[in-house]
Amino acid sequence: MPTVEERRSTKVITLYDQRREREDVRSIGAAVRRVKEIHANAPDSLLCTKIVTKDDDIVYDSTRNGDIQTWENEWERAKTRLTSTRETHNCNYGNGGCVADDLCPDCQFDKQMRGDNHATE
């Protein structure tokens, strides 16, 4: 899995009933792997795990985002969209998340009605 390497800037924070742990990791991908390890061996006292970027942005919070695998899948999709060199797509419905390889429902419907594969404009 390609990751952006940030020297000791991403953190995994783990909250337990009686303590808090902070671990520096090299990337979001490494943080995801660490969170999976923590959850696989989680004691009953585990309350929450978080992934925090170097800018102190909480990008994952287990109490808010749920399952780490689901979050990782969405993160990978978003990363792919940002780095995609595929054809651009202008959504007729103003949906900023509508991209050529992941059309919004309205554009998907339009594409089906046209009966073609010309989803890009």
Side-chain angles (χ1 to χ4, degrees):
M1 166 170 55
T3 59
V4 177
E5 292 286 332
E6 298 174 343
R7 187 167 198 81
R8 303 188 139 241
S9 57
T10 303
K11 297 173 249 349
V12 173
I13 297 174
T14 310
L15 304 173
Y16 297 94
D17 286 340
Q18 301 290 322
R19 71 184 193 282
R20 176 181 189 218
E21 295 177 0
R22 181 184 148 204
E23 182 178 344
D24 291 332
V25 293
R26 296 180 61 90
S27 67
I28 299 242
V32 168
R33 287 188 297 278
R34 183 65 187 123
V35 168
K36 286 179 181 179
E37 290 171 7
I38 291 167
H39 284 244
N41 302 307
D44 291 337
S45 61
L46 176 66
L47 299 175
C48 176
T49 53
K50 297 180 181 187
I51 298 175
V52 182
T53 67
K54 68 179 178 177
D55 299 323
D56 291 327
D57 292 327
I58 299 170
V59 295
Y60 172 77
D61 179 326
S62 62
T63 60
R64 186 178 63 217
N65 302 109
D67 179 62
I68 186 66
Q69 185 63 54
T70 303
W71 181 87
E72 180 186 26
N73 293 343
E74 182 56 36
W75 174 68
E76 286 291 336
R77 284 180 48 178
K79 192 168 61 166
T80 299
R81 275 187 237 133
L82 289 174
T83 59
S84 177
T85 57
R86 296 180 183 147
E87 297 178 73
T88 59
H89 171 71
N90 295 318
C91 178
N92 293 328
Y93 303 95
N95 185 333
C98 182
V99 293
D101 62 341
D102 190 13
L103 298 174
C104 71
D106 292 320
C107 287
Q108 287 177 15
F109 180 75
D110 288 351
K111 180 180 175 182
Q112 287 177 340
M113 293 305 293
R114 283 192 311 265
D116 63 22
N117 291 323
H118 303 298
T120 58
E121 298 176 346

